[in-house]
Amino acid sequence: MKPLSLTEKILQSHLVGQDELPPAGEIIRISIDEAFTQDATGTMCMLQLEAMGVTRVKPLSVNFVDHSMMQVGFRNPDDHQYLKTVSAKLGIIFSPAGTGICHFTNMENFVKPGMTGIGADSHTVNAGGAGALFMGAGGYDVALAMATGEYSLPMPKIVKVNLTGRLNKGVMAMDVILKMLELVGVKGGKGTIFEYAGPGVATLSLTERATITNMGAEMGATTSIFPSDEQTREYLKGRERGEDYQPLAADEQAQYERVIDIDLSALEPLIAIYPSPGNVEKISDHAGTKVQQVCVGSCTNSSFENIASFAEMLKGKRVVVDTLLYPGSRSVAMQVAESGYLTSLYASGVRVMENGCGACIGQGGSPPSGGLSLRTFNRNFPKRSGTDDAEVHLVSPLVAAASALTGEVSAPELDAPITLPQSKPVIDTASFIMPIPPQEALDSEVIRGPNIMKLPDFEALPERLEGEVLLKLGDNISTDDIQPAGAFLPLRSNVKQYALQATFTMVDKTFSKRAVAARDAGGHGFIVGGENYGQGSSREHAALCPRWLGVKAVIVAQFARIHVANLVNFGIVPLLFADVADYDKINQGDQLAIDVSNLEGDLVLEAGEQKIPLKPAFGPKDIPVLKAGGALPFFKFHN
Ligand code: MIC
Ligand code: SF4
């Protein structure tokens, strides 16, 4: 038998409709063991699920509330109430506000080694730390997976990351993934699954592994995975889920696309410099830079071990800058309290915040104007913090602690490695609200407050697209640039207002007005961009809102994986320049046309006298979806 990688073993055991794994790039269909959303993507996902006519979901499904929790006014509470009642009816477990960050809480309670899963959030890949194959997707694809228990994806390339050695004192799992980002870059993971292996793996705890898989999203990777071993068993036992354990690893002679070697003992504390997680440098090169704020937490670094290490460094001392801490879950927060760290953190002057995304998604905790915030989070895209001219650098919890004490970027100076006291995890399964049994659910009411708007209807694709280049953008445009979150999060269930108030405001405040005027004059909007367009979040609003504003095609040098699927799902034609040099021939304001009557044929961009060859960024199975005007009209027509 051919020796298999761990990824191949899991994919093989979940294949639907074929027996053999095809070469990289070909579409595979797999069964999905779990599908989940969080509140910021969940309302749209649930509206689509309802529009599909689904009355009960197939796989284990969970709706978490963690992103939009400020409850200033009726909008967030309306969303939460809708999610709670629709979950009960459709057979979905509901994780209310305060229970914890989706990826963290998911890992604690639901993920088992060997499982497959998709979630409406790019950091769903976090679950790879427990030997499971989880991927981020847009809300429509998650709704479809909840309805069918299946998901399609291009067969990924599999790259082995061979870990040797052991982390030195003051160096953390965050530094391992920052090293990977330095080596691979923010688009180097596209179409790839990173499989961690080698003797260094055994030295990393499960939550350390999850820090590493979590930020695989920042390399554009499909996902990342660790083997399931004694560390996995230990973690599951601690969570009273010992029976969920099974050992899993790649076969000895498994073949990989390539191998990356990382010696853990050679790593030093690193920092990702604003404005990209890919700008990785040594802490020592930035030591002494003044900081105005420190934030610890996010789905990347909010485990008990992270918080306890942070608290140990602060013990008996006071922070000198505004320092905010977001525990990953109520379970972690209770363990922090029981072990005495809550008191010592307060005594050190730390602001202990709610168990949720918080400052990571710009829900409060913005730094001051022109300030520098050091964060243990995974993203530092422009303006994501909510302060337009503030900068954010990404660091480990120990660097965060050292810097909070000095008010400057500082490496952790330790005489000996930090040892944490024995402490038992606190189990918090009581926070979950279980769905109503199917028979009773038929009569249960779904409560839709005024913030829950109807989904917009979209027409089929015309034969010819004609209109203006509404925006010409550069490389690495993130979904935070396209459709900012932060203060706009309460508009996630209100497409019209979210589009009018937020779309592309980060790059051009006139965008939505110009787009609506062009749309209402009968034109089709075009967006032109460079490499890695749509990096970052899985938010489908970054396609849905531009579509509402009349955008019909996006032409770029290269797309990020989840975003291109979202464009197709909302009927925007994703296209690539056949020759990247042609990007220079197009300007904002140009009038363009494309004959899209035959999406299988050659596609040519007509720009005045110029005829510019294009390549599809969509696959054959996407063509009928695009023609129908998007996934939902396509689904409704065929069911
Ligand atoms: C993010 O970190 O950008 C988010 C907010 O979690 C997004 C999801 C969203 O936009 O709702 C993600 O990572 O997919
Ligand atoms: Fe939440 Fe931040 Fe993680 Fe996104 S990256 S899920 S906003 S904690």
Side-chain angles (χ1 to χ4, degrees), residues 478-485 492 498-499 502-504 539 541-542 545-546:
S478 76
T479 50
D480 280 314
D481 296 318
I482 304 171
Q483 198 62 35
R492 283 281 171 104
Y498 195 20
T503 306
F504 282 118
R539 66 189 68 146
H541 296 81
C545 292

Side-chain angles (χ1 to χ4, degrees), residues 66-67 101-103 121 123 298-299 357 360-361 378 384:
D66 56 355
H67 277 64
I101 305 177
C102 54
H103 311 300
D121 191 287
H123 293 104
S298 91
C299 52
C357 302
C360 179
I361 195 54
N378 46 37
R384 183 175 162 101

Side-chain angles (χ1 to χ4, degrees), residues 165-173 175 203-204 208 263-270 283 309 313 396-399 402 410-419:
R166 171 185 287 275
L167 293 174
N168 284 320
K169 62 179 186 329
V171 184
M172 300 188 86
D175 300 307
T203 68
L204 297 169
E208 288 180 301
D263 176 1
L264 298 175
S265 38
L267 295 182
E268 60 182 291
L270 296 169
I283 283 289
S309 309
M313 276 203 59
S396 75
L398 287 180
V399 172
S410 306
E413 309 265 330
L414 298 170
D415 298 330
I418 291 180
T419 47

Side-chain angles (χ1 to χ4, degrees), residues 152-175:
S152 298
L153 73 153
M155 178 67 198
K157 294 177 273 190
I158 306 161
V159 169
K160 176 174 173 178
V161 185
N162 186 41
L163 300 179
T164 53
R166 171 185 287 275
L167 293 174
N168 284 320
K169 62 179 186 329
V171 184
M172 300 188 86
M174 180 68 166
D175 300 307

